[in-house]
Each structure stands twice: as structure tokens, then as C-alpha cells.
Amino acid sequence: MCRTLSSLVLILPLLALLGCEGGGDPVVTVDPPSVGVGLEPAAAALTTGGTQRFTARVSGASDTSVTWTATSGDITRDGVYTAPGTAGTYTVRATSVADTRRYAESPVTVTVPPVPLPTITHFAAVPETINAGQSATLHWEVAGAASLSIEPDVGPVSGGAGVTVSPATTTTYTLKATSEAGTVTATTTVTVNLPPVIALFTAAPATINAGQSTTLSWTVAGATSLSITPGVGTVTGTSVTVSPVTTTTYTLTATNAAGSTTATTTVTVNPPPTISSFTAAPATINAGQSTTLSWTVAGATSLSITPGASTVTGTSVTVSPAATTTYTLTATNAAGNTTATATVTVNQPPTISSFTAAPATINAGQSTTLSWATTGATSLSITPGVGTVSGTSATVSPATTTTYTLTATNAAGNTTATTTVTVTVPDAWSSLTWANELPGSYDSDVYRWLDSGKQQRTAVLTRNTARDPGGSYGGMLRQFRFYTGTSERVATGTGASSGPGYIWNGWGYVVSHFSGNGVSHSGSLAGTYRRVFVGRHHAIHEFSWNMPIGGTPVKVTVHWFFATGRDHPVYAITFDTSTAPSTGLPTEADSRAPYGDIAWDGDGTQAFVDGVKWGDKYKFYSRTEPFTAQSQWDYSQPNVVPYTMLYSRAADAEMGMVQTLSWLQHNTGGTWFSDNWGRASETRANPGNFGSWMMPPNWNWPYQMCQYEMGDTTQTRSKRLAWGLMYGAVGKPSHPGYGYETTYSGYPYQSYSVFMVMGQQSAGEVLAQAAQVERMLKAKLSVVQGAVVTSGPLGVARSDTATYPVPGYNSSYAAYELRADLSGQFNATLEAAGGEAPESPVPRPLGDGCAGTPLPGWRAARGGRGLLRLVRLQHRSPVAHPQPRVERQPHPGQRHVETHRETGARLVGLAPGHFPLRITSRCR
């Protein structure tokens, strides 16, 4: 800086001329010594075009303003300096206005700034992810670039509007921005979702024979699903087995979000041979002639013809069939075989497929019908005594046993068949018998009688006073023997069990379920038995027990009723709950009696059950076979007489029960399946109750049969069968009937009777017995002499009296009941319903004793003689005069009298087969 030299007067003029150097302190002169200039900043460094504000300070003068100058560049009056565009060192000067000799200077160094690199503020792909084959747009924002380019596959670009790219695979794009200063880059990635890759798709083996299989295998990457066509569909894993019938090209399609990829492989199938033709010439011959079988075959390694010719070669063979024959040509090669047929018709003499007499046995004076089925006859004749006939039947009335010969004739000859009609003189019926026997060590009462066909039936009733060899207390039908044609069928108790303590060695046990899962059954209780009555043609056997039901002793009495001329026994039961108070039993009890298992298909047969049927208000039957829990059913037809049954078509056997009263006269069945009345399996109500079954669930059958022994899809051989009443039916003053349509009383008695039916399924014996009961209920009993009995006990072992549901019909034994007049005589007419007569109505052998002599279960029948006429009305006139009747009367002398062994009372009626009755008369 300049220094003040006020003491050096001699050299002041020289200093004033020199001033101060730029960049140093302001130079102070001595004339006037008071003015000084200061400048800040003392030095500056700028780039070309840069600016800098300078500040001047003036001292020693009242005017402090300055003037600004610069050696290069521009400076404003306010001291703002702008550097020039050329690099160098320049000077800024501030000169005092008050004394222009006074100034200050600052050096300014100006440099050229470095050139900046370009800037990329944005580089992106929209969208960032695409599927193969789609496009994305690259966008960017760049400053300071002289040129732009994008790699790969794009090259130079300009502006910022973007560029469209379609990469085949996931690609990272690089944007390069270049200027004089250099190059900068930015990247963005376009992710490409690729379709799956099928590396392998083969068939091993690639060639198979028809009927064989091959394995399709594959190796695939990136697939979310796989499918194969034709005929395979969606697949998983790495292989699948196929069995094409012809040569097939399979296509594997692998799919993901990006698309699908396919591959193919071909399986060659060697076909079996082809038969272009197989004919017989001539196609029709007479017996004893020949014909030629000819064929055209391709691709066969061997040929055979059946029947008879076996292996053949060439293109034809001669055959001589004895009857019309269908020949089968089989052409074979390694791939399999092909067949074709040709029929040779052989003209034959007529055939007689059947020639029968129905009935085959008649009484003298009766008629029978000869029936036949023939094929190919031009004329028919029957000898002896008939001659030429036509149609399919003829009526004959031989006086003696005669063998008839049917001759069928045509141009080829004739054929004969014979049938014999046996003519008998009516004879007496053998007596019913009783014996105490030990079949299989079972202490039994054995009853034998003649049925409606005069063949013996045998019922073996095991005594109930001690345990039988099978472990139960008996009191049931151990064995039942009867004839089907000329063969005797033997049905014995199976010994099946339904749990510990439940053994069923026969049929006819008494079972009652009650509240709280309680069960009382006669098989576990000792009881008593007695022969109530054994007559010449009728017998009644009794079992009784004191059964605990809900803690109350209930007297249960069962009667078995057998009668000559009747096929089926009657099982009658009474529950006596009179020991309970007037409110009835303290529990809800049902009845499942009679109950048990017996081989109704014949001992040792063990046939599958082919179907079930029952009837209550409607008829239920299973519709499909084989019978399983999945069988279809129908419950839509109204019913009159309740029944239940099982059958085996294979064994031609069935067993069932038929009530002696109609549904309206005595409600039967149990549980809640009545919501399906009028329906079928396709329209069943409440299907959610059925579970996995199509048949009713096992807990919801109105009658117990084999349902608890059935699986979901398997057949059953169970021979279980029982009757059924609703809970409360035993011992309640009021209980709902099955169907919940009304209420009934089961206190103090619950009684009912059923026929025990066992026979051939082809004969439909259970439903025939139901129809028979219906006819008996509709028939009208009237008297000219004596009286029709209209009231009495409504069950066995009862002391009460009530009006019979049908006048003259005692439902306990399904018998008509008459009372003789004071002379001991009666004269009665049985008017058949609708022209159909009941079959063998039987006496009612039980009732009360004479006045003053009470006899449990009996009504005295002392003497009584009379005549029963069976009337079939052909037409009933609307006016008071009936049309002519056809009457059938018994043969003279066939009246019979049976004496009660305990009382001496006699049962008077007509001979078996001639509609015996129970006749009562005054006491003598």
C-alpha cells in the first residue's frame, strides 16, 4: 500500500506523479493530503461472462463519488463488473470525482469455464412388463446433449417423445447422451413374459396294437397349466397313459399368462383285421341240406368259425346245420380280432313249447283247460275226443284220468306233446296233528296240517320256558316246512344276531322299543306256553310273557292259529298294559312283533334279497335290481290292507306278513317316512334325510326288514323281518298313528293279527293274501236262520267287548263268526264282493264262556248245524229284485265237529275247502 510521507517535503511532487500500483493500497498524495480512495475486493477471479460487484470508499473529500473503468469487460456506474468472453487478467479502477488524481485499482483474473456433461433426468419404459409379441415405449428427459442413442436395437434418437420397442426377451436398454464434455448413460429394463417351453413330448412305445396302452411323457418349463388333446384333457405331472383305438396325433398345450406353446407326438395303432363280407348262400335250407359260408377278410393271421367249423382257411366252407344257426367268423391278428355273423335258417317241423292242463287235477264232473304254445304249425289236433283245434286253449271234461296228445303239423312233419288230467273222487281231508318233538334238541310243539293244495305243512314252535340250544328263550317259529310243487322247502331260524343278547333262532319273537333307547324282547325272557285248542282241523298255540317295558310289567300273549285248507298261519298278539295307571305306561313304547330271522328262501340257499315291498296307506316297492341302498323305489299307489315282504327272484322265494284288517281299521307302521306318500325316489321329500342312500335311511322304514344289515352299495342276504307300530302304540291312551293323520289308543290293550306268509315269489303269495283279506273284509255274511256275530273281544286274551269292524268277521283269526239259533241250527249266505270269493274262510274258534262259566279266550260252541252258501253275484240290479245267483254248497256229510280239549265245547263248521265257519250257540 502507499505510505504517507508528509515529513519528506522535497520528494512530494515526485510521489504525486507516481501514484500507487494497481492491486495495492490506495496511493495517498500529499496534495491535497486529505483525499483517499479504497476499493474492495482488492482482487477478483471470474469466468468469462461472470459478474462481480466492487465497492469504492473515498475519504478526505466531501464528494465521495467515483467513476468506474475497466481494461476489458463492462462495469456499471454502480460498480457491477461483467467479465469479457476472453480469458486474461484485467483491471477495474475507481477514480475519485473530487480529485481525479486519486483512484484505486483491483486486478480481475478471467478464465474460460469448463464445458459441462449432459444430464439425463428421466429414462423409463412404459409399460415395464409386457408379454412376448407386445410393445413398450421408452421415454427420456435430457439436457446438454449434442446427440442421443439407445442400445440395443434402437440407435440414434432425438427429442423426448419416446420410441417404441418390441423385445423378444427381457431387455435392458441404455440411453447415451453425448456432448463436448463427454457421454453419460442411463438404463431401463423391459421385462418380457415368455410362453412356456416344451423341451420334450414323446410317446413310449410310439406303436401299439389296438387295445394296448402307451405313455405320453413331457418336459415343460414355465407352464401354469397343461392339456392334451384329443381325449385326455387337463394333465399334471410329467406323463399320462392313453389307449387310442386308432392312430392318433396328440397335441400337448402348455399355457401361462404370456400365452401357449404346443407340441405333438403320434401314436401309431396297429388295427385288428377287417371283415368286408360274411354270407351264407343259400341263407335258407331245409333240415339235412348244406350251405356255403363265404368271406372277404383283410389283415388276418388266422380265421375261425363257430359253432362247429373251428379254424378255417381260404374264403369259404360248407356247413350242414341241423337247426337255424348263427355262425360267427373271427378274424385275428396281433392287434386283436374282429367278428361278423351270418345266419342260416333251417326249416323245421313245428315246435310245441308247452302243453298243460290247468288245473291238472279235477273232481269228476268238473272241467279243465288244455293250453298250448306252438310255433310253425299249420294245423293242430288233440286226442282223444277233441279233434282239430285252433287258438291256444280248449276246455275238456274227462270222466276219468286221461292223457291228452297234442299234434302240431306243417309241411316239414309233425310234433307231439302230452299232458295228463287226473280225475279224482272227492275224499276226506286228513286231520291236523300235534306232537312234542326235539328237532335239533329244540323242545318244540310241532303242528302238521294240509294246505289248500292238500299238501302237508309243518310248523315247529319252540317252547319258551327255558333257553333253547341257540341261546334264546324261544317262544317262536323255529322251522316251517311246506311244498313248492313236488319239492319240500324247509325254512329254519338263522340264529342271526343284532348285538350282544340279541339272538334270533327263528321268527315270531316279541320286541318292544321304548323311550331312552330301551328294548324289551321275549328272546331274553322265560315265559309260558299252552295248547289252547287242538281239533281235527284247527289248532291254537299260545305263548305268554310278563315283559318289563319302562319298568312296568306288561302281559304279552301270542296265539298261533293253524287250520286245514289254509296255507298261512295267523299270528295274533295282545299287549295288556292294564297294570299301569289310567295315564298309561310312563314311557313311549312301540311294537316290533312278530320279529326274527328265518331262512324263507330254504335252508342253505342264502340267496340275496332282490327286493322289498310294504303297504300301509300307500304301496311301497323297490324298483331296481340288484337290490341295494341305492335302488329306486315307488310309494305312489293307494293301499287297503297293510303288508310287508322280502323276496328273492333267484331262489323264487318270498316271506311277508299281511294284516287281518285294513289300514283304516287298524293303523300300522312306524317312524316318519309318510312324508313320501304319493312319491317316488325321483321326487322324494326331504332328500337331506337320506344321507348316502337312495332307499329310505335304515332308521325310517315303517316296518323293520333287512335295512340295518345293508351297506351303501352292497347287496344283503339278511332274512330279517318284523311288523311295526308307532311309539306310544303300546300302553298310551292316545298316540299318533303312522302318517300322523289321527290318534289312536293303545291302553289298556294293543292287539292285532297278521298272516305269516311264506311261498314262491313267482306266485306272488304275499300280495295274493292281501287281496284275499280285502275280499274277506268286503264280503257280506247274512243269515236266514241264526245270527251274525257283530261284537266280541278285538284281540286275543282280552276280556273287553267291542263292535267288530266288519259284521261277522273276527279279525283275531281272520274268521267269519255265526251264532246258531235256540234249536242249534243256522242257515247262512256269504255274498262275495265284486264276484270274487274269499278262499277258505275259517272258523273263529275263540270267545267267551257261557254265562256264569268264564273260559279265558273262549266262547262256547256246543252243537249247531247248518248250511253255508257261497254266492257270486253276476250282476246287482238297481231295483229290489236281484239277478240269478250261482250257489255252491258242500257235499252232503262233509260237516265236521271239533271238540275243545279243555272245555268240551265243539267247533262246528263245514269241511276244509268248503268254507268252514265258527258257529256259536246257546249253552247246554
Side-chain angles (χ1 to χ4, degrees), residues 430-760:
S430 300
S431 298
L432 177 149
T433 63
W434 163 88
N436 176 212
E437 299 177 6
L438 299 170
S441 298
Y442 282 73
D443 189 8
S444 304
D445 293 278
V446 181
Y447 293 87
R448 294 179 175 88
W449 73 98
L450 296 184
D451 60 21
S452 61
K454 286 191 175 182
Q455 292 182 304
Q456 180 176 289
R457 295 204 171 206
T458 303
V460 178
L461 301 178
T462 298
R463 294 178 174 178
N464 64 341
T465 51
R467 288 196 183 274
D468 57 42
S472 78
Y473 272 99
M476 44 60 185
L477 179 71
R478 168 63 182 167
Q479 189 176 83
F480 192 64
R481 308 171 73 97
F482 61 99
Y483 280 86
T484 58
T486 59
S487 300
E488 186 179 38
R489 179 171 289 171
V490 181
T492 305
T494 63
S497 173
S498 54
Y502 297 92
I503 302 172
W504 314 114
N505 296 320
W507 184 84
Y509 291 95
V510 179
V511 176
S512 176
H513 304 91
F514 51 89
S515 304
N517 295 321
V519 181
S520 184
H521 64 97
S522 61
S524 64
L525 296 172
T528 63
Y529 71 92
R530 67 184 182 117
R531 297 183 301 283
V532 176
F533 174 69
V534 179
R536 183 181 175 192
H537 291 295
H538 307 86
I540 297 174
H541 191 85
E542 178 182 283
F543 294 111
S544 63
W545 299 265
N546 284 313
M547 294 182 62
I549 299 179
T552 301
V554 174
K555 179 71 172 179
V556 179
T557 304
V558 169
H559 281 184
W560 284 87
F561 175 44
F562 310 101
T564 301
R566 257 192 180 174
D567 295 343
H568 311 304
V570 171
Y571 178 101
I573 184 171
T574 291
F575 292 85
D576 181 352
T577 55
S578 58
T579 56
S582 60
T583 55
L585 292 178
T587 186
E588 299 282 333
D590 70 359
S591 172
R592 285 292 181 269
Y595 186 105
D597 274 76
I598 193 167
W600 46 261
D601 53 347
D603 289 355
T605 304
Q606 279 295 293
F608 283 114
V609 175
D610 288 324
V612 300
K613 299 181 182 181
W614 69 73
D616 37 65
K617 184 176 181 180
Y618 285 82
K619 297 178 180 179
F620 180 96
Y621 63 93
S622 57
R623 289 173 18 218
T624 53
E625 297 177 11
F627 173 68
T628 69
Q630 306 307 320
S631 292
Q632 302 287 324
W633 50 266
D634 187 279
Y635 204 10
S636 63
Q637 300 302 312
N639 184 58
V640 176
V641 175
Y643 61 88
T644 181
M645 63 174 289
L646 302 166
Y647 67 86
S648 169
R649 196 180 306 280
D652 193 17
E654 67 181 28
M655 179 179 175
M657 288 170 278
V658 178
Q659 186 170 267
T660 60
L661 288 173
S662 72
W663 160 260
L664 294 177
Q665 292 161 347
H666 193 286
N667 182 274
T668 67
T671 67
W672 309 271
F673 195 59
S674 57
D675 60 356
N676 277 273
W677 278 346
R679 297 176 179 269
S681 49
E682 292 82 358
T683 58
R684 55 186 177 164
N686 299 314
N689 289 343
F690 287 70
S692 60
W693 284 26
M694 179 60 67
M695 288 289 289
N698 56 19
W699 51 267
N700 205 17
W701 291 32
Y703 307 94
Q704 187 169 343
M705 290 187 267
C706 56
Q707 69 265 35
Y708 288 100
E709 287 70 51
M710 292 169 60
D712 279 5
T713 57
T714 56
Q715 294 177 263
T716 181
R717 303 179 191 272
S718 170
K719 303 303 184 293
R720 185 71 48 84
L721 188 64
W723 199 240
L725 298 182
M726 290 285 283
Y727 277 94
V730 175
K732 282 295 184 184
S734 177
H735 71 90
Y738 177 55
Y740 296 88
E741 295 179 321
T742 187
T743 58
Y744 303 90
S745 176
Y747 173 85
Y749 299 110
Q750 176 59 259
S751 301
Y752 56 90
S753 299
V754 294
F755 283 93
M756 187 281 287
V757 182
M758 199 179 296
Q760 292 178 284

Side-chain angles (χ1 to χ4, degrees), residues 125 127-136 138 153 165-173 188-197 222 256-259:
E128 294 179 344
T129 301
I130 62 173
N131 292 332
Q134 295 180 333
S135 298
L138 303 178
D153 303 328
V165 293
S166 300
T169 61
T170 296
T171 301
T172 297
Y173 289 92
T188 188
T189 299
V190 178
T191 301
V192 180
N193 293 328
L194 297 176
V197 175
N256 66 14

Side-chain angles (χ1 to χ4, degrees), residues 334-396:
N337 58 65
T338 306
T339 62
T341 60
T343 299
V344 178
T345 301
V346 180
N347 294 327
Q348 300 282 5
T351 59
I352 301 174
S353 54
S354 68
F355 181 42
T356 60
T361 300
I362 60 174
N363 293 329
Q366 293 181 327
S367 298
T368 186
T369 299
L370 303 178
S371 301
W372 57 85
T374 65
T375 303
T378 55
S379 65
L380 300 170
S381 63
I382 297 176
T383 56
V386 180
T388 301
V389 293
S390 60
T392 59
S393 65
T395 300
V396 293

Side-chain angles (χ1 to χ4, degrees), residues 248-315:
T248 302
T249 296
Y250 290 94
T251 299
L252 171 65
T253 300
T255 303
N256 66 14
S260 298
T261 304
T262 62
T264 62
T265 188
T266 298
V267 178
T268 301
V269 180
N270 294 327
T274 58
I275 300 176
S276 302
S277 66
F278 181 46
T279 60
T284 300
I285 62 175
N286 292 327
Q289 293 180 330
S290 299
T291 185
T292 299
L293 302 178
S294 302
W295 55 86
T296 302
V297 177
T301 56
S302 65
L303 299 172
S304 65
I305 295 178
T306 57
S310 190
T311 301
V312 294
T313 58
T315 59

